[in-house]
Amino acid sequence: MATFLYKLGRLAFRRRHFVALMWVALLTLAGVGAISAPAAGTTSFSIPGTEAQKAFDLLEQRFPGASADGATGRMVFKAPEGEKMTDAAHKATVTKTVKELGDGSEVVSVTDPFTTNAVSKDGTVAYLSVKYDAPAVGLKDATKDALETAGDEARATGLTVDVGGDALQAQPDAGGVGEAIGLAIAAVVLVITLGSMIAAGLPLLTAIIGVAIGVSTITALAKALDLGTTTSTLAAMIGLAVGIDYALFIVSRYRAELAEGRDREEAVGRATGTAGSAVVFAGLTVVIALAGLAVVNVPMLTKMGLAAAGTVVIAVLIALTMIPALLGYAGRKVRPAGEKRKKTTGTAPAKPNLGTRWASFVIRRPAAVLLLGVVGLGTVALPVSQLELGLPDDGSQPTSTTQRRAYDLLSEGFGPGFNGPLMIVVDAKNSDDPKAAATTVTDGIKGLKDVVTVTPATFNKAGDTATITVVPDSKPSSTRTEDLVHAIRDQGPDVRSDTGADVLVTGTTAMNIDFSQKLTDALIPYLALVVGLAFLLLIVVFRSILVPLKAALGFLLSVLAALGAVVAVFQWGWLGGVLGVEETGPIMSMMPIFMVGVVFGLAMDYEVFLVTRMREAYVHGESPSQAIVTGFKHSARVVVAAAVIMMAVFGGFISSGESMIKMIGFGLAIAVFFDAFVVRMAIVPAVLALLGRRAWWLPKWLDRALPNVDVEGEGLRTRAEKDTDPDEDRELVRV
C-alpha cells in the first residue's frame, strides 16, 4: 500500500498539470449536470416491512388517487375574544376565502369548514383544507402568494389566521452564516498548524472542490434517485470535514519530510505513502459506516448514507492526487516543519512540544487518566437512559412560524390529538360481510381509552376496504398515543378470527412509531456489522487484536456521551437558548443510528492517524512507551487541529433552520470533541501504556494469514533515497 501510494504521489507531483485538469474537468462535468438536471420533486418516505407502510400501500391499491403526493394547506381561523366563527361576519369572511382559494390554477379542492363540520365545539376555531396537484417543492410562487394573500385579507377582518401543512414549506437552510464561520475557523486553525497561508489554503481548496463535485453529482441525480435536500446537506457536512482533515494530514507529513532534508518530490511521495495510507484506511472505515446504513432497510436513510459515502471517496481520491499536484505548484512556498522556529532559536535544543509533554504525563499516570476519562464520559452519557425517539411535525417548529401557530390553534380548538389522527384500514376482501366487519372494528376502538373521535367507516368503490379515522386524546408524540396504536393493533387477531377482515393502523403518527421501532431494532445488527468489519480492517492495519478492540470500545464511550449531550440539549432543553433550540421534544428517530455510523467512521479516523504513527515508531525499534511519545510528538498537533476543524465545520450547521440538520450538526461536533480529546488523546495512550508490548500482540498464524499492507511505510524506509527510475511511470500503470 505505502509503496503504491508513494509512486502515485510522485507521479501526481510530476504530472501536476494533468491531475489538476482532470479534477477541474470532473468539477465542470458535475456542475453542468447539476444545472441541467430537472428539479427534484418531493422525496418519498417509506418504511418497508412495517404495518403502517403495508396499510399505506394497500390504500394506494384500493383507493386510487387518494394518496397523491400533492401539497396540502390548512388555514386555521380563530374568532376574537367573546365572538364565534359562526357569527355572520366571520362566516362570510371564511366563505369568501374558500371561494378565492378555489380559483387557483393548481388547486384540486378546498373544503368549507361549515359544511364539513370543521368548527370546534365552542365555535371559536375553524379550519379549511386546500389540496394542490403539485408537490410542495413544485408549487408556483403565485400559488403560494395567493394562499398568503387570502390569509392576510382574512386576518385584516380581526380574525387570527395561520396556515399549516406543507404548502408554504420553505427550502431548508443548510447553515448559512454559521457554516461560513465554521470555514473561517478552519482556515485560522490551518494557518496556525501549517504556518503559512499557502499551505493552509490547500486543504480548504481541495475539500471545497471535493464537496462541490459530490453535491453537484447528488443534485444531478436527485430526480432520478429520489434524493432530498437533506441528503446533499449531510454529504456536504461530512465531505467538507473529512476532506479538510485528510488533506491536512498529508500536507503536515509533507512538511515533516521536508524538515528531514528530503527534496520536494521525494517528500511528496513519502507523505502520500505514509499519511496517505492512513487516509485510505480512515476513509474506508467512514465508507463502511455510512454504506452500512443500508442494513436498516429504510430507503431514505440508505440513500443519505451512500451519498455521503460517495463524497468521502471523492475526498480520499482528491487528497491522494490533487494535494501532491498542488504541492508541486506551491514549490518553496510550503516550508518545512519548524523552519521558522529554527531561525529564531538557532542551534538551541528544541523544547518538547505539548504533545510530547502530554504523552509523557499520561504514561506516568495511565490508570488515573483512564479512570477519569471513562467516568467523565459515562456521566455525560447518563441522559441516554431517557432517550425518546420521534419524527418532527409542525409542533416541533419554532413558535415564530405560521405552521406552529396553526398547529397550536388546532390543538386548542379540537384537542391535542387532532394534529395526529390515526387512520385505520379494514381489509375486508376475505370477509363475508365487510360492513359488519367495519362496524366491529369501530365499536372495538370506541371502547378503548384515550379515544376522542371515531369517524364512520368510508368504503372504496369495490366495497372491500374501509378507512376509519381515530382522533386520540393525546398529542402525536406522547406515549399515550403510542399505547393506543398498540392497543388497536392488539385487537387485530380477534377481528380476523371473528370476521375474516384484517385491521391495519397507518397515518403519520403510526408511521413515526413504526419508524422509531424499526431503527431501534436495527441498531444492534448495524453496530455488529459496521464495528465487526472495521475491527477486521483495523487488525490488518495495526496487526494487533487489542488495539482495534480498544478503538471500538472507545468509540462506544464517545458516541454514548454524544447522544447523552443531544438528549440533554434537544430533549431536556439544557443550553437550548444558547444553541438556538426553540422547541424541545423527542430526538429525531434516525439521529442515533445515523450518528453511530458517522461518529464511528470519524473516530476511526483519529485512531488510524494517531496510532499508525505509534505503530510506525514501534516497528522501527522503539519501546512501547517511547512509541506513544513519538506518535504524539508527530501527530498530536495535527490530530487536535483536525478535531477543531471538524468541530467548527459541524458546529456551523447548528445555525440551520431545519431541526434535523441542527441536531446532527451539534451531535457530530460534540462527538468529535469527546472522541478526539478524551478518547484518542487520553484514554488511548493510557490503555496502550498499561498494555505495553501486549498491545501489539498478534497470533503468529493470524499474522501469516493477514495481507501485509505496510501502512507504516517500512518498504519506503528500506528503499534507497534516489530519484524515481525513468520507467517508474509505466510500472505504476501496470500496478
Side-chain angles (χ1 to χ4, degrees):
M1 173 67 76
T3 302
F4 173 78
L5 293 179
Y6 167 85
K7 296 175 183 178
L8 178 64
R10 294 190 65 167
L11 179 64
F13 184 90
R14 291 196 303 273
R15 303 290 187 266
R16 61 185 73 103
H17 302 311
F18 172 77
V19 172
L21 285 174
M22 178 188 70
W23 284 110
V24 170
L26 289 175
L27 176 61
T28 303
L29 184 64
V32 171
I35 293 173
S36 58
T42 302
T43 305
S44 60
F45 180 76
S46 62
I47 317 172
T50 62
E51 179 175 316
Q53 185 64 46
K54 182 180 178 181
F56 185 81
D57 294 340
L58 184 65
L59 285 176
E60 286 193 326
Q61 297 173 11
R62 306 285 176 84
F63 291 82
S67 56
D69 61 354
T72 59
R74 182 179 277 177
M75 187 172 291
V76 188
F77 307 87
K78 183 180 179 182
E81 188 72 27
E83 301 179 20
K84 293 186 177 182
M85 289 303 304
T86 52
D87 293 346
H90 300 324
K91 191 172 183 179
T93 298
V94 173
T95 301
K96 178 184 176 184
T97 303
V98 170
K99 184 177 183 303
E100 290 178 352
L101 291 175
D103 294 334
S105 60
E106 295 183 297
V107 175
V108 175
S109 63
V110 183
T111 63
D112 187 334
F114 301 106
T115 59
T116 58
N117 196 29
V119 181
S120 62
K121 290 182 179 180
D122 61 5
T124 60
V125 178
Y127 69 90
L128 62 83
S129 296
V130 189
K131 180 68 176 177
Y132 298 93
D133 60 9
V137 295
L139 284 181
K140 298 177 182 177
D141 290 338
T143 300
K144 295 182 178 182
D145 292 342
L147 183 60
E148 292 179 326
T149 300
D152 291 339
E153 291 177 355
R155 196 176 292 114
T157 66
L159 295 173
T160 298
V161 183
D162 283 293
V163 181
D166 60 358
L168 296 182
Q169 175 180 306
Q171 288 290 340
D173 176 19
V177 177
E179 185 179 354
I181 294 174
L183 283 175
I185 294 173
V188 172
V189 173
L190 286 170
V191 171
I192 295 173
T193 305
L194 299 177
S196 74
M197 295 291 291
I198 298 296
L202 297 184
L204 282 175
L205 176 62
T206 54
I208 291 173
I209 290 175
V211 168
I213 293 174
V215 172
S216 296
T217 303
I218 291 171
T219 303
L221 299 175
K223 180 71 173 180
L225 300 181
D226 192 24
L227 304 176
T229 54
T230 302
T231 302
S232 59
T233 302
L234 292 175
M237 181 193 302
I238 296 168
L240 195 60
V242 300
I244 293 174
D245 279 5
Y246 294 166
L248 168 62
F249 278 101
I250 293 178
V251 173
S252 178
R253 185 62 183 256
Y254 168 74
R255 295 178 69 237
E257 296 294 337
L258 288 178
E260 294 184 12
R262 295 185 174 87
D263 65 73
R264 296 187 180 276
E265 184 176 334
E266 179 69 14
V268 164
R270 287 180 171 269
T272 310
T274 52
S277 296
V279 164
V280 169
F281 283 98
L284 276 176
T285 59
V286 179
V287 170
I288 288 173
L290 291 171
L293 290 169
V295 303
V296 182
N297 195 27
V298 174
M300 182 180 70
L301 197 58
T302 300
K303 293 171 186 176
M304 289 167 56
L306 292 177
T311 307
V312 172
V313 171
I314 294 172
V316 171
L317 294 176
I318 282 186
L320 296 176
T321 57
M322 196 170 185
I323 283 293
L326 293 179
L327 288 173
Y329 284 117
R332 297 185 179 277
K333 292 179 182 179
V334 177
R335 298 190 298 269
E339 183 180 74
K340 186 180 296 185
R341 183 171 61 252
K342 290 179 181 177
K343 291 180 179 179
T344 58
T345 59
T347 58
K351 181 181 178 181
N353 62 22
L354 182 59
T356 301
R357 298 197 299 273
W358 171 251
S360 300
F361 170 80
V362 174
I363 289 173
R364 290 195 301 271
R365 302 171 179 82
V369 172
L370 177 60
L371 181 63
L372 183 61
V374 171
V375 171
L377 290 180
T379 302
V380 179
L382 288 176
V384 172
S385 62
Q386 304 297 319
L387 175 67
E388 296 178 9
L389 298 178
L391 287 178
D393 56 15
D394 286 347
S396 60
Q397 297 275 358
T399 53
S400 58
T401 63
T402 186
Q403 290 92 341
R404 171 58 189 276
R405 293 195 298 268
Y407 181 97
D408 291 341
L409 284 176
L410 289 172
S411 296
E412 176 186 336
F414 299 91
F418 187 80
N419 285 293
L422 305 176
M423 179 172 287
I424 314 303
V425 180
V426 182
D427 181 5
K429 195 169 187 178
N430 298 322
S431 175
D432 295 333
D433 190 346
K435 291 187 177 181
T439 301
T440 299
V441 173
T442 301
D443 293 341
I445 294 174
K446 287 180 178 179
L448 298 175
K449 63 179 182 179
D450 294 326
V451 174
V452 174
T453 305
V454 181
T455 65
T458 301
F459 279 87
N460 62 345
K461 290 183 179 180
D464 59 4
T465 306
T467 60
I468 302 168
T469 301
V470 177
V471 178
D473 189 33
S474 50
K475 62 181 182 179
S477 59
S478 72
T479 55
R480 290 168 55 197
T481 301
E482 183 175 351
D483 292 340
L484 176 60
V485 170
H486 293 312
I488 295 173
R489 287 174 173 171
D490 289 342
Q491 293 184 345
D494 293 336
V495 173
R496 187 183 304 110
S497 62
D498 294 340
T499 67
D502 290 321
V503 180
L504 304 172
V505 184
T506 189
T508 303
T509 301
M511 290 281 277
N512 290 351
I513 293 171
D514 287 354
F515 185 46
S516 299
Q517 187 61 50
K518 187 177 181 69
L519 292 178
T520 301
D521 294 342
L523 185 57
I524 299 302
Y526 172 70
L527 272 174
L529 174 67
V530 172
V531 175
L533 289 176
F535 180 76
L536 296 176
L537 182 65
L538 292 179
I539 289 178
V540 174
V541 174
F542 297 126
R543 309 197 78 78
S544 164
I545 297 293
L546 296 179
V547 171
L549 180 61
K550 171 263 307 170
L553 294 177
F555 150 73
L556 291 176
L557 273 175
S558 57
V559 77
L560 286 174
L563 283 173
V566 169
V567 170
V569 172
F570 291 89
Q571 188 174 307
W572 295 355
W574 294 6
L575 299 178
V578 177
L579 296 173
V581 180
E582 297 186 26
E583 294 297 324
T584 60
I587 304 304
M588 206 85 55
S589 296
M590 68 178 65
M591 174 68 182
I593 200 163
F594 187 84
M595 188 170 159
V596 163
V598 176
V599 173
F600 180 76
L602 301 181
M604 295 306 102
D605 277 3
Y606 300 119
E607 181 75 14
V608 170
F609 289 133
L610 186 62
V611 181
T612 49
R613 201 63 190 260
M614 298 179 190
R615 169 74 181 174
E616 182 179 342
Y618 179 75
V619 167
H620 293 161
E622 295 186 7
S623 67
S625 296
Q626 185 58 41
I628 295 172
V629 175
T630 300
F632 269 78
K633 175 183 177 181
H634 293 291
S635 300
R637 177 184 175 91
V638 182
V639 168
V640 168
V644 172
I645 289 169
M646 277 202 178
M647 290 169 59
V649 172
F650 291 145
F653 288 86
I654 297 176
S655 65
S656 171
E658 189 172 357
S659 57
M660 179 179 175
I661 299 298
K662 181 190 292 287
M663 192 179 295
I664 289 179
F666 171 79
L668 293 181
I670 198 69
V672 167
F673 173 78
F674 290 145
D675 195 83
F677 292 100
V678 181
V679 174
R680 309 303 154 188
M681 302 296 288
I683 293 178
V684 165
V687 171
L688 291 177
L690 290 171
L691 291 175
R693 294 188 182 276
R694 289 169 295 180
W696 307 108
W697 171 80
L698 185 70
K700 291 183 179 180
W701 64 268
L702 184 57
D703 187 36
R704 290 191 299 268
L706 292 176
N708 183 13
V709 295
D710 189 23
V711 177
E712 302 85 15
E714 181 64 22
L716 301 181
R717 186 180 180 86
T718 59
R719 182 187 182 93
E721 294 190 16
K722 60 175 183 163
D723 291 335
T724 306
D725 293 334
D727 295 334
E728 189 166 3
D729 289 356
R730 291 192 293 274
E731 180 185 350
L732 178 58
V733 172
R734 289 198 300 271
V735 172

